[in-house]
Amino acid sequence: MKNLESMEEILLKEGKVSQKQIEEAVSLPARGGSRGKQLVELGFVSEDDFLGIASKRMGLPFIKIPDVPEESIPNLGEKLQAKYLKEFKIFPLNLQDNALTIAAADPFDAFVADDLSLTLGYEIKVCLAREAEITEAIEKFYGTGASAMQQIVGDMAEGEIEVMGKEEEENLDSLKDMASEAPVIKLVNLIVSRAIKEGASDVHIEPFEGSLVVRYRVDGILHNEESPPKQFQAAVISRIKIMAKLNIAERRLPQDGRIRLKILGKDIDLRVSTLPTLYGESVVMRILDRGTIVFSLEKIGFPPKELAGFSKIITMPYGMFLVTGPTGSGKTTTLYAALTKINSPDKKIITIEDPVEYQLHGVNQIHVKSSIGLTFANGLRSIVRQDPDVIMVGEIRDSETADVAIQAALTGHMVFSTVHTNDSAGAVTRLLDMGIENYLISSSLLGVLAQRLVRIICRNCREPYRPDEKLLKEIMAGGSEGVDVIYKSVGCPECNNTGYKGRVGIFEFLVVNDEIRKLILEKSSANIIKEAARRGGGMSTLREDGWKKVRAGTTTVSEIYRVTLEEDVY
């Protein structure tokens, strides 16, 4: 595999990546393989573009492994192990006249061809192929043909572990023994490691009458996954409860716990929740992987105008700023990004959260414990006596917390918090509904950010199309840039056939100016406040910001309809 010039230079010349993306890739630790391949792994360039350009520049064929006749694939099981092939992402395609043709996912990894030639004594010829096709072929020709889960379940069924009946499930010692067997440990580890590989945020293990269902939430959407048979339900759930240090004998009450483990070289926190249902305990594991979370305002999707306004507000010396949206809309990530941006040695920052999801260096973080009286309101009162500059309250749930938070904002502290409302203006009426006086809200509130998360369309398989005139008119609402085509999702191996890969925020940023303060004092409705913000401050609604991202080719029309309401448009 000869290297003609650096792949970064080739991709830059072809306009597939920017200089900024190359600099970002170079700043990160090497992951093995070439730097060009790392650009693919970071999502800066599609694998097809990478391999297509490499194929032309290096004169190497770019092939599809499923199109290769099976009879031409050599059996090198005695000379090559599946582990070696997977590690270097290669697959033998043909052996003829002492020349071995291999498929490789990284054309710039020169070590592999040299090592194979030295080890096997063959001349090595290289073709390029997609990594997913190589992995699938290795499993088919060098594995058992069965999935990893099927192999583990087969081991369990062949006598390594006995399936317990209903009566034996009540025996605590038997349950502990079963949950500690190697196949059960492998099974649970497989479920978790697959979720991390797929970029899932949650793992759902749900018992039903005749089945045990495993589902992963990826980019906010639940997907069914390969599941173990129903008879292993007790073993799998007990194993998870033991790992989370929960009481495996208690199945009538919900329980919460935490698991810390290292998987695929990553330090992972799992927040575990169990819930008794009709057919057994349902388990949900929230995956907290610090390495995949971006605490950067510049990278979470803010348009330039909103980013400038948001950055200005969070650096103010006192007042209150609220982020609003449903569960899972990225509110905590936005606030963490804000705290990260303003965190400096001259500021004391204290947070009170339920629970603390990620640890921020240099920030004092408190975990709510309602069972011993440490509520948001009580904790907030104590925080104020700690001489903080900035306070973050995980959520304003009641009038007591709201009142203490506003008093803190009025007495010289910068307070960040979240509320659950459909839009930015709704946060004002929510505070009024909690019994907070209008003049206190008017004096303390600096701004409100409503947000949602939309899935990013996969650039490898997206297809352009021209919308009908009615839809085009709606998409162009408030937009000055022209657009002839937009994109729809299709699905390919690179995006796990979902059509999407990753998520980005859409935002509605309300700045409390003099006009808005006057409307708050008049106890105006949310609609009037919202119209005034759009008219006087040029605020974009959630849906309008969504259309900007549709016009830019970042997401799809269906995603905007999925996460925004019709009322967002006036």
Side-chain angles (χ1 to χ4, degrees):
M1 297 185 197
K2 56 182 180 175
N3 190 341
L4 301 179
E5 61 179 312
S6 78
M7 195 60 184
E8 302 99 291
E9 293 173 351
I10 299 171
L11 293 168
L12 189 62
K13 285 179 183 177
E14 296 283 347
K16 299 299 182 182
V17 295
S18 67
Q19 185 63 43
K20 186 178 179 181
Q21 289 173 327
I22 290 174
E23 288 169 1
E24 185 174 339
V26 170
S27 69
L28 296 172
R31 305 182 183 188
S34 69
R35 186 67 69 181
K37 184 64 175 174
Q38 188 168 359
L39 290 167
V40 177
E41 293 171 357
L42 289 168
F44 293 156
V45 63
S46 74
E47 187 177 26
D48 279 4
D49 281 344
F50 171 79
L51 294 175
I53 291 172
S55 172
K56 291 176 185 175
R57 302 289 295 192
M58 302 179 73
L60 301 176
F62 180 16
I63 57 105
K64 293 183 178 180
I65 294 180
D67 294 342
V68 176
E70 289 192 14
E71 56 270 20
S72 70
I73 296 174
N75 182 3
L76 300 175
E78 294 181 1
K79 298 180 179 180
L80 290 176
Q81 293 185 344
K83 183 179 178 182
Y84 178 89
L85 299 176
K86 287 179 180 178
E87 182 180 353
F88 293 104
K89 302 177 180 63
I90 58 171
F91 180 74
L93 295 172
N94 183 269
L95 179 59
Q96 192 171 8
D97 298 331
N98 208 47
L100 178 66
T101 303
I102 64 168
D106 187 352
F108 290 90
D109 192 352
F111 166 79
V112 181
D114 294 340
D115 183 60
L116 274 178
S117 180
L118 197 63
T119 303
L120 302 177
Y122 298 138
E123 177 192 351
I124 304 299
K125 296 180 179 179
V126 178
C127 293
L128 307 183
R130 295 186 185 97
E131 187 176 324
E133 292 180 3
I134 290 174
T135 302
E136 189 176 329
I138 293 169
E139 187 61 48
K140 181 176 179 180
F141 290 93
Y142 287 81
T144 62
S147 72
M149 183 172 288
Q150 288 170 336
Q151 292 177 47
I152 295 170
V153 168
D155 290 341
M156 296 164 80
E158 284 172 13
E160 276 195 46
I161 185 168
E162 293 183 9
V163 179
M164 292 188 296
K166 199 72 180 172
E167 295 170 1
E168 291 171 289
E169 284 185 21
E170 302 300 325
N171 186 319
L172 196 59
D173 291 333
S174 298
L175 206 55
K176 282 182 178 177
D177 290 343
M178 185 177 184
S180 301
E181 294 280 355
V184 177
I185 294 171
K186 286 181 184 176
L187 190 55
V188 172
N189 287 349
L190 178 66
I191 291 170
V192 176
S193 62
R194 277 184 176 176
I196 293 166
K197 279 182 181 176
E198 293 187 23
S201 61
D202 301 85
V203 179
H204 294 242
I205 301 175
E206 303 163 315
F208 294 100
E209 184 175 11
S211 63
L212 183 66
V213 175
V214 174
R215 298 196 288 173
Y216 296 159
R217 188 177 294 280
V218 180
D219 293 334
I221 305 295
L222 279 170
H223 302 277
N224 282 337
E225 298 290 332
E226 186 180 21
S227 306
K230 173 73 173 177
Q231 61 262 39
F232 302 117
Q233 175 180 313
V236 169
I237 292 174
S238 295
R239 173 63 190 164
I240 293 170
K241 290 175 74 174
I242 288 171
M243 292 170 71
K245 297 180 174 57
L246 301 180
N247 182 0
I248 65 170
E250 179 56 77
R251 300 175 200 161
R252 302 163 300 168
L253 295 172
Q255 295 185 69
D256 293 300
R258 199 163 194 144
I259 302 171
R260 290 189 175 184
L261 67 167
K262 192 167 188 125
I263 290 186
L264 304 174
K266 300 178 180 179
D267 291 318
I268 302 293
D269 270 9
L270 300 176
R271 256 190 14 230
V272 181
S273 170
T274 68
L275 186 72
T277 69
L278 194 60
Y279 297 106
E281 287 179 286
S282 171
V283 175
V284 174
M285 292 182 282
R286 166 66 59 88
I287 299 172
L288 303 174
D289 177 6
R290 178 65 188 267
T292 63
I293 297 296
V294 179
F295 296 130
S296 168
L297 293 178
E298 288 76 19
K299 294 181 180 178
I300 58 179
F302 270 116
K305 178 186 169 186
E306 282 75 3
L307 177 59
F310 185 77
S311 299
K312 181 180 178 181
I313 280 186
I314 64 176
T315 55
M316 289 187 175
Y318 56 86
M320 174 184 279
F321 184 81
L322 298 176
V323 181
T324 179
T327 301
S329 59
K331 299 187 298 297
T332 302
T333 299
T334 297
L335 287 180
Y336 277 2
L339 294 180
T340 301
K341 188 174 184 69
I342 64 175
N343 188 12
S344 61
D346 63 332
K347 282 190 175 70
K348 175 151 186 170
I349 302 174
I350 306 179
T351 75
I352 180 163
E353 306 167 61
D354 184 19
V356 174
E357 294 199 2
Y358 296 96
Q359 295 174 17
L360 299 176
H361 180 70
V363 176
N364 297 276
Q365 294 172 272
I366 302 169
H367 193 320
V368 165
K369 291 190 179 82
S370 301
S371 59
I372 59 172
L374 181 55
T375 62
F376 277 119
N378 291 337
L380 192 49
R381 288 191 185 93
S382 300
I383 286 172
V384 174
R385 295 193 287 272
Q386 287 279 308
D387 187 32
D389 297 291
V390 180
I391 301 169
M392 187 190 105
V393 185
E395 183 183 345
I396 292 179
R397 297 175 179 171
D398 51 54
S399 57
E400 187 182 10
T401 306
D403 185 57
V404 179
I406 283 181
Q407 291 301 328
L410 291 171
T411 53
H413 305 91
M414 185 65 197
V415 179
F416 297 114
S417 192
T418 71
V419 290
H420 287 287
T421 59
N422 287 330
D423 58 13
S424 54
V428 175
T429 52
R430 176 62 55 85
L431 292 175
L432 289 169
D433 291 342
M434 288 180 179
I436 305 302
E437 295 292 344
N438 54 350
Y439 66 88
L440 293 176
I441 300 172
S442 174
S443 302
S444 61
L445 191 62
L446 299 174
V448 183
L449 180 74
Q451 69 177 69
R452 302 289 189 275
L453 291 176
V454 293
R455 292 181 291 170
I456 299 171
I457 192 168
C458 175
R459 291 183 175 274
N460 187 57
C461 62
R462 67 179 185 177
E463 286 186 0
Y465 76 100
R466 181 172 176 80
D468 60 49
E469 291 303 317
K470 182 181 177 183
L471 179 57
L472 186 61
K473 185 177 178 182
E474 185 177 356
I475 293 170
M476 289 305 299
S480 57
E481 67 271 31
V483 60
D484 292 321
V485 297
I486 58 176
Y487 293 90
K488 62 182 177 180
S489 60
V490 179
C492 66
E494 191 168 309
C495 60
N496 205 20
N497 293 311
T498 63
Y500 300 93
K501 197 171 184 180
R503 287 189 291 177
V504 70
I506 59 173
F507 303 95
E508 178 180 290
F509 183 46
L510 185 153
V511 178
V512 179
N513 54 27
D514 290 340
E515 184 182 5
I516 302 298
R517 288 192 187 92
K518 183 181 176 184
L519 291 173
I520 294 172
L521 288 171
E522 295 171 356
K523 295 187 178 180
S524 301
S525 69
N527 283 354
I528 293 174
I529 292 173
K530 190 168 188 174
E531 287 174 359
R534 297 186 68 204
R535 184 178 61 249
M539 181 185 80
S540 296
T541 64
L542 284 165
R543 185 165 284 189
E544 285 169 346
D545 188 39
W547 291 145
K548 290 177 188 175
K549 290 178 170 64
V550 169
R551 295 196 294 268
T554 302
T555 190
T556 61
V557 172
S558 59
E559 277 295 285
I560 304 306
Y561 283 144
R562 181 176 69 85
V563 302
T564 64
L565 299 173
E566 190 68 33
E567 296 80 60
D568 290 333
V569 181
Y570 290 87

